[in-house]
Amino acid sequence: MGDDSPLNDEISSESSHPTLHDVVETLGLPTHLSISPELHGLLASEPRQAVLAHLHETDRQVTVAELVDHLVTTDVERDEQRARTVLHHVHLPKLSDGGLVAWNRREDAVSASFGERPR
């Protein structure tokens, strides 16, 4: 994902991906160790990282079509149809169930809900 990663804003590293050392230096070891395995699993996927970073950067509700375009233009996904399919069937359900996004399926819109649990 490169420079789109939220951690890269605060971490200066020659690598495009932060190391454990970078994370500990930025967030502190207790913070890193207190993240649940479920949250680690949610954040381990590059497309989910890209979705969360885009929502954070735009700070507004976006359409799924906009997320598809973002994934394709940032080379996280190469094919629009595949990006749409995995968003609908994998990434958005996981992020929504994990309380990280609010996904209005009827309007096909997504917004950040960091820390808010789904209703």
Side-chain angles (χ1 to χ4, degrees), residues 58-70:
T58 59
D59 196 27
R60 63 180 170 77
Q61 180 173 289
V62 300
T63 64
V64 173
E66 183 178 337
L67 290 174
V68 167
D69 184 56
H70 177 72

Side-chain angles (χ1 to χ4, degrees), residues 53 58 84 86 103 110 114:
T58 59
R84 182 175 310 286
V86 296
W103 177 26
V110 182
F114 303 117

